[in-house]
Amino acid sequence: MSPSVALQEMIRAIRSARTQCEERGVIQRECAAIRAQFRQTDNGGRSHNLAKLLYVHMLGYPAHFGQMECVRMIASPRYSEKRVGYLGAMMLLDEKQDASLLITNSIKNDLSHSNQYVQSLALCTLACMGSAEMCRDLAPEIDRLLRSSNSYIKKKAALCAVHIVRKVRDLGELFVPSARSLLSEKNHGVLHGAVVLITELCGRSPETLERFRKTVPDLVQIMKGLVISGYSPDHDVAGVSDPFLQVRILRLLRILGRNNEAASDAMNDLLAQVATNTDSTKTVGNAVLYETVLTVLDIKSESGLRVLAVNILGRFLLNNDRNIRYIAMTSLQKIVGTDHNAVQRHRGTIVDCLKDQDASVKRRALELSLALVSASNIRSMMKELLIFLSSCPPDLRAQAASGIFNAAERYAPSKRWHIDTILHVLTTAGGDVRDETVPNLIQLITNTSELHCYTVHKLYRALLTDISQQPLVQVACWCIGEYGDLLLKGECQETEAVQATEDDVLDALEIVLQSHMSTPTTRGFALTATMKLSTRITDNVDRIRSIVSIYGSCIDVELQQRAVEYNALFKKYDHMRAAVLERMPVIQKNSLGQTNGEVSEETIKETQPGKVKQEEAAQPQQPAGQVVDLLDLLGGSQEPLAPSSLISITSSAPITATGSAGGDLLDLLGGLEPTPLTPAPAMTVYDKNGVTLTISCEQQSDSGLTVMLTASNSTDSDISSFTLQAAVPKSVQLQMKAPSRDSLPAKGAAKLTQLVVLNNPNKVNLKMRIRVSYTSLGSVVQDTVQVDSFPGISAAGL
Amino acid sequence: MFIFMLLFSRQGKLRLQKWYVPLSDKEKKKITRELVQTVLARKPKMCSFLEWRDLKIVYKRYASLYFCCAIEDQDNELITLEIIHRYVELLDKYFGSVCELDIIFNFEKAYFILDEFLLGGEAQETSKKNVLKAIEQADLLQEVRPAPLKP
C-alpha cells in the first residue's frame, strides 16, 4: 500500500505544533497550499490533497472549499481518486449543501460501473448522505442491483434501499418483491441486509406488514439453521453463530408476531429453543437472549414462554456485569404494567440497584422502583426511596421527588405518614419539587383537621432550622398563619410541643420576610401569614400593624399591594378583619392525576354558595376578594384547567377558594373592566321530595348564554339514573353537555352538575322547561318544571 | 440504525467521526463537544450505556481510544457493543495490532474499513473474513498505477 507521504508528513507537522496558535499556523499554510493545488489541473497528488483537507476538517477547521474538489474527484476515472472523493463527499457534503446534487449523476454512472468496488463506493455514499431527490432518482437503479447475481453488490443494495425507504416512504412499494426473494439467499451478508430491509418496510406500512407475515416460517427456518448448526468459522462469535443476523431476525419476528396469534404460534418453539440453548456467559450470547426476551414479551406468546423470559431477565439482574443489569431493568420497565407480579419478585434486587454507583443504573432502578410501589410495600419502599433521595444525583432529584409524592398520594397508609413523608421530601430536596406541590400539600393539610396541631408544630420547627427550601418555607408560613393559635397554645398530642411566644412566631416570620434567600412568592406567603395572625394573637397586634405598614412602601409591587390592602383592612375595614381572616374552609380534594380535560366543576360549584354568601355580605368586595384571590394565586391553585372549563369558571365569576390561578387571574382582569365582578346567583327552580335543582347562568356574548344546573339530594337514600332534559323555544339553540355524574348519593354527599349552552340569536324571551327523572327506592320519578326568568340576566340585555 | 459514531482520545481529540443523519456542521460540533465531555467524565467501571439528550449512547474504551456511538430506541444495546468490538477487531487485523497512532496517520483507511463494515448505519457484512477480503481487493485496485478504470 503506497503510503501517502505528504499526508503523513502534514499530520506529523500538525501534531508537533506545541500550541494551538502554532497548529493554526501550520494548518493555514497547508490549506493555502491545498487550495492552490486544487486550482491546478490534473496532477498525481490530487487524492492526497483532498485527504489532507479531510484531516484538517476532522480537527474542526473549515473545509468547505473542498466541496467542488470532491465533486471533481468523484467523476475521475481513477479509483484512488474516486475513493477519496466519495469519502470527502460523505464528510463534507450532506443533503443540506447544494453541491450534493451535483454528484447525483456521478453516482448514477458509478452504480452501473463494471467494477464492483466502484459500485460499492456509489452505494455507500448514497446510503450515507443521499437526499430525498437523489433517492427518488436512483431508486430504480437500486432495485435493479437488488436483483443482480453479485452477493457483494446485493447486500449493499439492500441497505441502500433501507436508506431510500427511510427518506422517501412511498418508494417502499418498489422494493417489496425483491426483498421477498432475497430471503432465500444463502449469503449471510445478503440475508442480513434483506432482513433489515423487510423490517424497515414493515415498520413503514401496515399492509406490507401483512404481506410479509407469510415469511415467518422461512425466518424460523433460517434461525433454526443458525442455532442448531455446528461451528461455522466464518460467522462464529464466541460460540454463537452469526449473532448479528440472529438478533435482526428476532427483531423482525417480533414485529411480525405482534398482535397476531398465528404468527406468534409459529415462532413459539423457536424462541424457546433460542432461549434455552444460547450460551449466556459472554455478552454476545446475552445480546441474543435479550432480543429473544424482548420478542417473547411483545408477541402473543404462551405463558410458559413468558415465565421463561421473565426468569432470564431475573438472571440478568443478578449478573455481575453492570451493562446486563441495566438492560434487565430497561426490559422490566416495559413489562411492569402487564406482568406486575413477576417483576415484584425481583423488587429486592431492584431496590439494591438504587445504591449502585452508576447514574444510568440508578435512573433505571428509580423508575422501576416507583412502578413497583404498591399498598403492601409502601412503608419499606418509601424508606428506601427517601434514603435514595438524600444521596441521589441532582438530575434525578425532581423525578424522584415527584415519584415519591405520587406514590405517597396513592398508597399513604395514614394521613400523618403522608404529611411526614412530604415534609421529609421538602426538607431534603425542597428545591427540586414541582410548583404544584405547595398547594397540594396545603390542601392535604387542611383536609386533615385532626393533625393541624401536629403539622404546625413540625413545620414551625422546620422553619426555625432552615429557611432556604422555598416550598417548605411557603407551606410553613401558610400553616403558621392559619393555625398560629394552635401553635401558641403550646400543647400537642402527637408530637413534642413547641413553646413559642407570640414574639417568637412573629420573629420567625419576619426573618423569612427579610431573608435574601426568600423568593418574592415566599415573602408574599409570610406577609399574609403575619396578617392572619393579627386575629389569632392577642398582644402583638401593633407589631403586626407596623410590619404591614413598612411593606406598604416595598419595591416589590406584589408585596406592596398586599401591604397596602392589609393596611386598609386595619384602618378602614377593621370591623371586617376578623371575618376576612378567619379559618379557610376545607379545600375540596382534587385528585393529583387529573389533567386538562377533567376539572370537577362540581367541586368548584359546591363552594360557590358558601362563598357567595360571604361576598354578598361584604360591601367593599375588592379588598376582601383580592385577599382571597391573592392567596389562591399562590396557595390554592390546582392542576391547570382546560380552556372550556376556564370559561365556565370565569363566567360563573365567584372567587372561590379552590379556583385555579388562571381562573382567578382572569377574574381579576375581568374585575378591571367596568362590569362589576358580581358572582352569578343561583336560583332554586325545583325542590321536591328532597331533590333540589338550582340553576345559575352567565351571559357569554350577545346571544350566547351558559346555564349551570346543579342537583342535590338531601334524602336518606341514594338516587340513581338521574337525568335532566331541557326544552327551549324554537328559535333558541340548545346544547347540553355531559352531566358530571348520573347518581345522587344521600344526604347531599355529592352534587350533580350539568352545563347547558344556549344561543338566542333572535333574542326572544327565554324560557326553559326542564324534565327531571330519577330512580329512588326502586321507583322511577319524573317531574317537569318551567323556568321563566333566569337569574343574573337582565331582561332587556338578552 | 447508527446515528453517528465517534472515536476520540482520552484528551478529547476526535480521531474519526461518521454521521448517518444530515446535521449542520455547527450541530455536529456541538454534539461532539458535549458528548465527549459527558463520556470522558464517566468513571471506569460504569455502565456502557447512557441516555443523553433522547439518544441512546453506547460507548467502549479500548486502550486510549473511546468508541462512542448513538443508536435508535429500538436497537439492541448489547449487539451494538458487539458491533463496536467487531470494528476494533477489523482494524486490529488490518493494521496488525492497531494502536491510536495507526488510526491518526491512516485515518482515511479507518474510514474505508468502517464503510466496508457498516453501510447507512447498519452492519452490512457479518463475516470478518469477507470484510477484510473486500478491503484488500479495493486496496489492490488503488495500488494499480494511476491508470483510469474502464467505465
Side-chain angles (χ1 to χ4, degrees):
Chain A
M1 154 106 36
S2 62
S4 48
V5 176
L7 168 65
Q8 298 198 334
E9 270 179 20
M10 183 195 81
I11 296 178
R12 217 165 272 130
I14 293 175
R15 280 170 63 79
S16 58
R18 267 163 301 181
T19 63
Q20 184 79 340
C21 186
E22 228 181 288
E23 181 182 290
R24 261 200 300 270
V26 173
I27 290 189
Q28 264 175 355
R29 273 196 307 274
E30 288 290 339
C31 280
I34 294 170
R35 256 188 291 235
Q37 302 212 300
F38 281 172
R39 269 178 253 132
Q40 286 179 3
T41 48
D42 186 19
N43 55 17
R46 276 172 72 192
S47 52
H48 298 321
N49 283 325
L50 188 54
K52 281 200 241 178
L53 184 61
L54 293 178
Y55 183 80
V56 162
H57 172 76
M58 193 158 62
L59 290 178
Y61 295 91
H64 42 270
F65 57 88
Q67 286 177 4
M68 285 316 290
E69 186 67 11
C70 290
V71 176
R72 254 176 264 134
M73 297 268 276
I74 289 174
S76 152
R78 293 200 189 101
Y79 181 70
S80 56
E81 290 177 358
K82 265 198 206 288
R83 213 180 185 192
V84 182
Y86 273 116
L87 180 63
M90 286 191 275
M91 283 175 78
L92 300 177
L93 297 171
D94 57 32
E95 59 181 48
K96 295 204 175 107
Q97 314 287 347
D98 298 324
S100 64
L101 287 173
L102 297 171
I103 62 174
T104 314
N105 211 29
S106 300
I107 295 184
K108 192 176 199 161
N109 292 336
D110 284 337
L111 281 176
S112 351
H113 203 278
S114 58
N115 187 304
Q116 65 178 8
Y117 298 104
V118 173
Q119 285 178 303
S120 134
L121 288 175
L123 284 166
C124 184
T125 310
L126 183 60
C128 180
M129 47 74 76
S131 66
E133 295 88 62
M134 284 164 78
C135 289
R136 271 203 202 90
D137 267 343
L138 299 168
E141 268 301 300
I142 303 296
D143 190 45
R144 190 178 61 78
L145 289 172
L146 273 177
R147 279 180 265 245
S148 99
S149 53
N150 183 339
S151 321
Y152 181 74
I153 293 299
K154 261 196 285 204
K155 74 178 189 219
K156 293 185 191 254
L159 291 176
C160 204
V162 171
H163 175 87
I164 292 178
V165 172
R166 282 205 182 111
K167 282 279 175 205
V168 185
R169 192 174 149 168
D170 309 322
L171 288 171
E173 267 307 308
L174 179 62
F175 297 119
V176 170
S178 339
R180 182 76 186 77
S181 56
L182 282 177
L183 273 185
S184 36
E185 288 282 327
K186 291 278 167 267
N187 180 305
H188 281 224
V190 178
L191 266 179
H192 188 273
V195 172
V196 176
L197 178 57
I198 296 176
T199 312
E200 192 64 37
L201 289 171
C202 291
R204 301 273 153 179
S205 133
E207 300 88 48
T208 322
L209 180 74
E210 286 299 324
R211 280 152 72 182
F212 274 110
R213 276 231 177 81
K214 305 188 204 88
T215 62
V216 168
D218 299 320
L219 292 166
V220 169
Q221 212 41 43
I222 299 173
M223 266 302 276
K224 276 217 173 86
L226 290 172
V227 173
I228 300 178
S229 74
Y231 176 75
S232 134
D234 268 354
H235 303 284
D236 181 274
V237 180
V240 182
S241 187
D242 206 339
F244 307 107
L245 183 57
Q246 285 196 32
V247 163
R248 288 318 300 233
I249 295 183
L250 285 167
R251 190 162 142 187
L252 179 56
L253 285 175
R254 177 154 85 241
I255 298 177
L256 294 176
R258 202 178 274 156
N259 293 330
N260 187 297
E261 290 277 352
S264 306
D265 279 336
M267 44 179 104
N268 251 315
D269 285 340
L270 169 73
L271 292 171
Q273 200 167 27
V274 177
T276 38
N277 284 356
T278 311
D279 174 21
S280 59
T281 49
K282 296 273 175 64
T283 310
V284 93
N286 285 328
V288 175
L289 279 174
Y290 174 45
E291 198 72 32
T292 315
V293 165
L294 287 179
T295 305
V296 167
L297 294 174
D298 214 7
I299 63 172
K300 292 193 178 297
S301 47
E302 45 182 51
S303 58
L305 197 53
R306 277 188 100 83
V307 168
L308 182 59
V310 178
N311 285 345
I312 293 179
L313 286 180
R315 268 196 345 253
F316 277 3
L317 264 183
L318 298 166
N319 196 309
N320 283 330
D321 188 345
R322 212 176 242 128
N323 293 338
I324 310 278
R325 286 210 296 273
Y326 177 88
I327 293 292
M329 285 197 281
T330 316
S331 320
L332 286 172
Q333 183 79 35
K334 292 197 188 114
I335 58 166
V336 77
T338 45
D339 300 74
H340 192 91
N341 293 329
V343 184
Q344 279 280 6
R345 250 179 268 132
H346 302 286
R347 189 164 44 101
T349 328
I350 293 170
V351 168
D352 281 336
C353 288
L354 279 173
K355 306 192 188 83
D356 198 301
Q357 298 283 347
D358 185 310
S360 321
V361 174
K362 270 200 177 105
R363 178 192 301 265
R364 284 272 167 263
L366 173 66
E367 282 170 11
L368 210 45
S369 305
L370 288 173
L372 286 177
V373 171
S374 73
S376 46
N377 57 33
I378 178 75
R379 283 190 194 264
S380 50
M381 284 296 277
M382 194 50 79
K383 235 187 289 181
E384 296 288 339
L385 286 170
L386 288 174
I387 296 174
F388 173 72
L389 188 64
S390 45
S391 61
C392 84
D395 46 337
L396 285 179
R397 273 223 193 100
Q399 194 183 357
S402 60
I404 290 177
F405 283 148
N406 279 337
E409 165 91 5
R410 284 162 67 190
Y411 302 114
S414 76
K415 295 260 185 189
R416 181 172 155 175
W417 181 94
H418 194 174
I419 291 182
D420 278 341
T421 310
I422 298 189
L423 288 182
H424 192 135
V425 174
L426 286 182
T427 36
T428 348
D432 298 294
V433 297
R434 284 207 305 253
D435 294 332
E436 301 103 60
T437 321
V438 171
N440 285 343
L441 179 55
I442 289 177
Q443 179 191 10
L444 178 64
I445 292 175
T446 54
N447 276 328
T448 358
S449 40
E450 65 273 16
L451 288 176
H452 284 167
C453 196
Y454 168 74
T455 316
V456 72
H457 280 268
K458 269 204 103 161
L459 283 171
Y460 181 70
R461 255 201 214 95
L463 192 66
L464 290 179
T465 348
D466 169 28
I467 57 168
S468 60
Q469 306 277 33
Q470 297 304 301
L472 183 63
V473 173
Q474 286 171 10
V475 177
C477 289
W478 191 92
C479 280
I480 293 175
E482 267 304 290
Y483 309 122
D485 45 335
L486 294 174
L487 180 64
L488 291 166
K489 253 200 290 195
E491 48 183 52
C492 180
Q493 292 155 324
E494 311 268 334
T495 181
E496 193 190 305
V498 170
Q499 303 299 335
T501 64
E502 296 178 357
D503 270 322
D504 292 333
V505 176
L506 287 174
D507 280 340
L509 288 175
E510 261 205 277
I511 291 175
V512 172
L513 265 175
Q514 291 162 353
S515 162
H516 62 277
M517 286 190 282
S518 303
T519 61
T521 320
T522 315
R523 287 220 179 87
F525 268 90
L527 190 61
T528 309
T530 314
M531 187 59 192
K532 280 197 219 171
L533 281 179
S534 70
T535 49
R536 289 158 174 74
I537 62 176
T538 47
D539 298 331
N540 292 28
V541 185
D542 287 330
R543 184 173 168 186
I544 295 182
R545 210 172 292 189
S546 62
I547 295 176
V548 163
S549 55
I550 291 173
Y551 278 88
S553 44
C554 173
I555 290 182
D556 185 273
V557 177
E558 172 72 26
L559 277 180
Q560 188 188 107
Q561 180 177 6
R562 286 183 188 222
V564 163
E565 284 159 10
Y566 295 157
N567 242 345
L569 210 53
F570 268 125
K571 301 213 171 81
K572 275 207 283 179
Y573 302 107
D574 203 40
H575 53 283
M576 292 177 39
R577 190 160 49 91
V580 168
L581 296 174
E582 70 180 9
R583 274 271 205 285
M584 295 280 265
V586 170
I587 303 174
Q588 287 303 317
K589 238 195 163 131
N590 223 346
S591 72
L592 267 182
Q594 268 187 347
T595 49
N596 286 345
E598 281 177 68
V599 171
S600 42
E601 295 170 317
E602 59 177 303
T603 65
I604 294 164
K605 281 295 142 191
E606 280 181 74
T607 56
Q608 193 186 335
K611 272 286 157 202
V612 166
K613 287 194 213 81
Q614 193 179 44
E615 270 123 37
E616 279 179 335
Q619 228 333 38
Q621 274 190 42
Q622 293 305 80
Q626 276 166 335
V627 162
V628 178
D629 268 355
L630 290 172
L631 287 170
D632 291 335
L633 266 178
L634 302 166
S637 54
Q638 303 289 336
E639 295 283 297
L641 300 170
S644 56
S645 43
L646 262 179
I647 294 170
S648 62
I649 290 163
T650 52
S651 62
S652 52
I655 305 149
T656 64
T658 61
S660 82
D664 283 343
L665 260 176
L666 286 169
D667 278 352
L668 281 174
L669 291 172
L672 290 172
E673 289 165 5
T675 52
L677 210 59
T678 48
M683 187 176 92
T684 309
V685 296
Y686 175 84
D687 189 355
K688 222 196 254 182
N689 301 332
V691 177
T692 353
L693 183 67
T694 59
I695 66 169
S696 71
C697 15
E698 207 47 44
Q699 188 124 24
Q700 297 294 352
S701 64
D702 214 12
S703 63
L705 169 73
T706 52
V707 177
M708 177 71 83
L709 305 165
T710 313
S712 69
N713 166 21
S714 57
T715 65
D716 285 330
S717 50
D718 291 354
I719 284 178
S720 59
S721 327
F722 189 99
T723 50
L724 292 166
Q725 292 165 299
V728 287
K730 278 213 180 73
S731 60
V732 179
Q733 290 144 16
L734 169 94
Q735 187 190 11
M736 286 190 92
K737 303 281 184 197
S740 63
R741 45 189 306 133
D742 66 347
S743 64
L744 282 173
K747 299 208 213 333
K751 288 201 203 309
L752 180 154
T753 53
Q754 188 159 14
L755 190 66
V756 180
V757 179
L758 298 173
N759 191 15
N760 187 3
N762 297 346
K763 299 212 194 332
V764 302
N765 203 9
L766 193 63
K767 295 187 208 294
M768 188 190 285
R769 192 171 293 170
I770 303 177
R771 178 184 291 169
V772 173
S773 58
Y774 58 87
T775 311
S776 168
L777 296 167
S779 55
V780 176
V781 178
Q782 256 191 17
D783 215 339
T784 320
V785 60
Q786 174 132 342
V787 181
D788 291 319
S789 68
F790 287 77
I793 310 299
S794 63
L798 245 198
Chain B
M1 172 184 129
F2 276 60
I3 298 182
F4 59 77
M5 176 182 270
L6 302 173
L7 263 70
F8 50 90
S9 70
R10 300 247 288 140
Q11 284 74 40
K13 282 245 152 110
L14 201 60
R15 299 299 176 207
L16 186 143
Q17 51 170 337
K18 186 80 188 182
W19 298 81
Y20 292 104
V21 292
L23 285 170
S24 73
D25 245 359
K26 206 165 135 204
E27 283 167 327
K28 285 183 192 167
K29 282 212 176 90
K30 185 155 186 259
I31 292 178
T32 309
R33 195 177 46 232
E34 287 176 15
L35 187 56
V36 166
Q37 251 177 342
T38 313
V39 172
L40 286 176
R42 285 170 77 81
K43 300 195 203 70
K45 289 273 184 210
M46 288 177 105
C47 194
S48 280
F49 315 127
L50 62 124
E51 261 136 70
W52 180 83
R53 273 213 212 167
D54 301 342
L55 287 174
K56 284 214 277 201
I57 306 286
V58 179
Y59 75 94
K60 191 139 189 240
R61 188 176 143 210
Y62 288 86
S64 57
L65 265 184
Y66 281 89
F67 286 69
C68 178
C69 30
I71 52 177
E72 288 179 325
D73 238 3
Q74 332 85 290
D75 289 333
N76 183 325
E77 292 96 327
L78 293 174
I79 209 75
T80 309
L81 275 178
E82 285 302 311
I83 292 181
I84 294 178
H85 190 75
R86 174 57 67 88
Y87 180 49
V88 173
E89 284 177 332
L90 288 168
L91 289 171
D92 197 45
K93 211 60 200 290
Y94 183 82
F95 286 108
S97 215
V98 69
C99 64
E100 191 184 340
L101 280 178
D102 287 322
I103 300 184
I104 295 172
F105 281 95
N106 299 289
F107 74 96
E108 80 275 21
K109 305 214 183 74
Y111 273 103
F112 295 148
I113 297 174
L114 184 63
D115 285 335
E116 205 51 57
F117 177 45
L118 297 179
L119 194 87
E122 304 274 1
Q124 59 178 291
E125 179 57 66
T126 56
S127 150
K128 217 184 336 188
K129 200 176 69 175
N130 289 348
V131 180
L132 291 166
K133 217 174 17 175
I135 308 261
E136 231 180 85
Q137 294 292 325
D139 282 343
L140 275 175
L141 203 55
Q142 190 167 310
E143 278 286 303
V144 170
R145 301 314 272 40
L149 290 163
K150 287 192 275 289

